[in-house]
Amino acid sequence: MKPTLYVIIPCYNEEKVLPLTAPMFLEQIQNMQREGLVSENSRIMFVNDGSKDSTWEIITKLSGENRIFTGIAQSRNRGHQNAVLAGLMEAKDMCDITISIDCDGQDDIKAMTRMVEEYLSGSEVVYGVRNSRKKDTFFKRSTAQGFYKFMSAMGAEVVYNHADYRLISARVLREFANFKEVNLFLRGMIPLVGFKSSCVYYERHERLAGKSHYPLRKMIALALDGITSLSVKPLRLISAMGFIMSLGSLAGIVWAVVAKLTGAAVDGWASTVAAICLLSSIQLICTGIIGEYIGKIYMEVKGRPRYIISDRTTDPQADKDQT
Ligand code: UDP
Ligand code: MG
């Protein structure tokens, strides 16, 4: 059976680029249908993320012209991650696989063929990974690379140079639906679901038209969101700082006492310094301990599934039917 593919494309104020890329997506899906990789029921689903220009009108027109195109609209602009999630959740019960991709033609649309081939040879999640960032400006490239390094140092593991161009099977999406958190960082959350995964490498191009909606400010916000959504390491760093400070304070206290005994200090100085050193390190350690508990509460509140079963030697339903 050929899998039914839904391509999920978030769009925010993309009236300039959509008329250029929509035919490219159509051609790609038709090629895959011709090659027998995906079924005739496959669709291209645009998610309008509260655009203020004529993006939604373009989407409606496209879907009127060809039933391969469909569209959903968010009630207001909620951001790229929420738009992708809305598309994935809408599609998961209608298809076998989804591929999420930006609508600006930056990610090589043709790489979808290799992604579907990876799926057909057993991968449930296929990450699109950028080969190089030669086409990005130096600034974009270095800030983006800094972003991945900082994320991993802070305990939020992400696939290097992978953004949100990926194939996910409907089965993985059904498990992912149990991740109830509202702060989304999809590229860090999908690996948490597990299942067999692989990577497909591709060249990243320049935007075909229009301008980026991800300036540095939004990239920093996304990185912070990613770190604080996936990891409690920053809280743990407070405890570590507390312990380092207390060692430093010990040295400070010894120094103050020596200065007092050798008469090098004015009256009251030694006791003031000693008190400051002692209290500040105790305070940091206490904040760190509270942080540990807050971190635990935070993880509990997410209510993520505690286990996900991927395979069984026997189908429990079939077993029950037999008895
Ligand atoms: N996007 C969205 N909502 C937003 C911002 C962006 O749906 O609030 C979409 C946008 O239309 C595009 C994708 O997310 O399809 C990536 O955005 P962009 O190309 O501007 O980011 P960049 O590639 O520069 O990081
Ligand atoms: Mg882009």
Side-chain angles (χ1 to χ4, degrees), residues 102 104 106 204 207:
D102 293 351
D104 54 10
Q106 283 194 283
R204 169 125 164 138
R207 218 174 208 284

PDB file of all heavy atoms in Angstrom, residues 102 104 106 204 207, ligand 2:
ATOM      1  N   ASP A 102       8.884  24.860   5.364  1.00  0.00           N
ATOM      2  CA  ASP A 102       8.535  26.280   5.236  1.00  0.00           C
ATOM      3  C   ASP A 102       8.051  26.555   3.816  1.00  0.00           C
ATOM      4  O   ASP A 102       8.391  25.829   2.899  1.00  0.00           O
ATOM      5  CB  ASP A 102       9.760  27.156   5.516  1.00  0.00           C
ATOM      6  CG  ASP A 102      10.202  27.051   6.963  1.00  0.00           C
ATOM      7  OD1 ASP A 102       9.458  26.447   7.753  1.00  0.00           O
ATOM      8  OD2 ASP A 102      11.290  27.558   7.279  1.00  0.00           O
ATOM      9  N   ASP A 104       8.807  29.127   1.908  1.00  0.00           N
ATOM     10  CA  ASP A 104       9.569  30.113   1.133  1.00  0.00           C
ATOM     11  C   ASP A 104      10.560  29.511   0.135  1.00  0.00           C
ATOM     12  O   ASP A 104      11.334  30.237  -0.475  1.00  0.00           O
ATOM     13  CB  ASP A 104      10.310  31.056   2.091  1.00  0.00           C
ATOM     14  CG  ASP A 104      11.154  30.302   3.085  1.00  0.00           C
ATOM     15  OD1 ASP A 104      11.306  29.087   2.914  1.00  0.00           O
ATOM     16  OD2 ASP A 104      11.663  30.924   4.030  1.00  0.00           O
ATOM     17  N   GLN A 106      13.193  27.811   0.700  1.00  0.00           N
ATOM     18  CA  GLN A 106      14.593  27.766   1.152  1.00  0.00           C
ATOM     19  C   GLN A 106      15.081  26.337   1.291  1.00  0.00           C
ATOM     20  O   GLN A 106      16.235  26.039   1.025  1.00  0.00           O
ATOM     21  CB  GLN A 106      14.721  28.458   2.515  1.00  0.00           C
ATOM     22  CG  GLN A 106      14.696  29.956   2.435  1.00  0.00           C
ATOM     23  CD  GLN A 106      15.170  30.565   3.735  1.00  0.00           C
ATOM     24  OE1 GLN A 106      14.435  30.599   4.707  1.00  0.00           O
ATOM     25  NE2 GLN A 106      16.398  31.033   3.759  1.00  0.00           N
ATOM     26  N   ARG A 204      20.580  24.293   1.499  1.00  0.00           N
ATOM     27  CA  ARG A 204      19.622  25.345   1.860  1.00  0.00           C
ATOM     28  C   ARG A 204      19.808  26.533   0.922  1.00  0.00           C
ATOM     29  O   ARG A 204      20.927  26.997   0.713  1.00  0.00           O
ATOM     30  CB  ARG A 204      19.871  25.757   3.306  1.00  0.00           C
ATOM     31  CG  ARG A 204      19.126  26.992   3.713  1.00  0.00           C
ATOM     32  CD  ARG A 204      18.315  26.729   4.919  1.00  0.00           C
ATOM     33  NE  ARG A 204      17.890  27.969   5.540  1.00  0.00           N
ATOM     34  CZ  ARG A 204      16.684  28.161   6.021  1.00  0.00           C
ATOM     35  NH1 ARG A 204      15.789  27.216   5.931  1.00  0.00           N
ATOM     36  NH2 ARG A 204      16.360  29.283   6.613  1.00  0.00           N
ATOM     37  N   ARG A 207      15.728  32.609   0.338  1.00  0.00           N
ATOM     38  CA  ARG A 207      14.296  32.814   0.221  1.00  0.00           C
ATOM     39  C   ARG A 207      13.949  33.248  -1.207  1.00  0.00           C
ATOM     40  O   ARG A 207      14.634  34.105  -1.762  1.00  0.00           O
ATOM     41  CB  ARG A 207      13.915  33.948   1.176  1.00  0.00           C
ATOM     42  CG  ARG A 207      12.646  33.772   1.867  1.00  0.00           C
ATOM     43  CD  ARG A 207      12.483  34.883   2.873  1.00  0.00           C
ATOM     44  NE  ARG A 207      11.650  34.368   3.957  1.00  0.00           N
ATOM     45  CZ  ARG A 207      10.346  34.211   3.863  1.00  0.00           C
ATOM     46  NH1 ARG A 207       9.720  34.560   2.780  1.00  0.00           N
ATOM     47  NH2 ARG A 207       9.659  33.709   4.876  1.00  0.00           N
TER      48      ARG A 207
HETATM   49 MG    MG B   2      12.721  30.897   5.596  1.00  0.00          MG
END
